[in-house]
Amino acid sequence: MADRSARVSDVHRIAASMPHVKRLDGPKGNAIYQVGGKSFVFFRTPQPDATDPDTGERYADVIMLWVDSESDKLALVQDPGSPFFTTAHFDGHPSVLVRGSRLAEITTTELAELIQDAWLSRASKRRAADWLAAHS
């Protein structure tokens, strides 16, 4: 399939396709994808730290993706034109945020790499090594 702009449905499809993944529903029905009991993709409910700067309305489409390191996080959020962002609430937390409405700014290939990296950052060393050996 040719690369195209990413969609929210791709987040679900890619996260669910990783090995040993369990999808949970949060208290408000928000999807949470975990490997070995650790979340790696988390669909947030509207929170006061992620709001529209003009209206103050809470974003209802924020997706949190784990990253491997602070430098990985900075690489994604430092460009003001990037769809990725963080908030003070996530200072020191190995994750980035992206609005579902801005996913089209990246390709499905880029999204898959981000989700795979998120999975790798949370999977056990053995599971990560097995996956990397099968996909290198």
Side-chain angles (χ1 to χ4, degrees), residues 51-73:
T51 58
D52 183 294
D54 299 326
T55 67
E57 248 182 271
R58 294 177 181 187
Y59 293 138
D61 65 341
V62 176
I63 304 163
M64 183 169 61
L65 302 167
W66 265 254
V67 294
D68 194 43
S69 67
E70 188 69 17
S71 60
D72 289 347
K73 177 178 186 166

Side-chain angles (χ1 to χ4, degrees), residues 9-88:
S9 59
D10 296 317
V11 176
H12 291 285
R13 177 180 55 77
I14 296 163
S17 75
M18 296 302 293
H20 309 287
V21 166
K22 188 174 188 179
R23 179 193 160 143
L24 306 172
D25 288 327
K28 296 185 178 169
N30 51 310
I32 303 165
Y33 291 90
Q34 293 186 337
V35 57
K38 295 179 178 179
S39 301
F40 68 99
V41 173
F42 184 97
F43 285 75
R44 291 183 84 202
T45 57
Q47 298 294 320
D49 67 315
T51 58
D52 183 294
D54 299 326
T55 67
E57 248 182 271
R58 294 177 181 187
Y59 293 138
D61 65 341
V62 176
I63 304 163
M64 183 169 61
L65 302 167
W66 265 254
V67 294
D68 194 43
S69 67
E70 188 69 17
S71 60
D72 289 347
K73 177 178 186 166
L74 289 173
L76 290 167
V77 302
Q78 67 188 6
D79 175 1
S82 163
F84 300 98
F85 67 103
T86 190
T87 67

Side-chain angles (χ1 to χ4, degrees), residues 73-109:
K73 177 178 186 166
L74 289 173
L76 290 167
V77 302
Q78 67 188 6
D79 175 1
S82 163
F84 300 98
F85 67 103
T86 190
T87 67
H89 180 76
F90 289 98
D91 284 352
H93 191 271
S95 62
V96 295
L97 306 173
V98 64
R99 294 190 61 204
S101 60
R102 293 193 63 190
L103 281 174
E105 296 175 37
I106 64 170
T107 66
T108 53
T109 298

Side-chain angles (χ1 to χ4, degrees), residues 119-120 125-136:
W119 183 90
L120 287 165
K125 288 188 183 343
R126 187 184 59 80
R127 285 179 175 167
D130 290 349
W131 188 87
L132 286 168
H135 292 87
S136 54

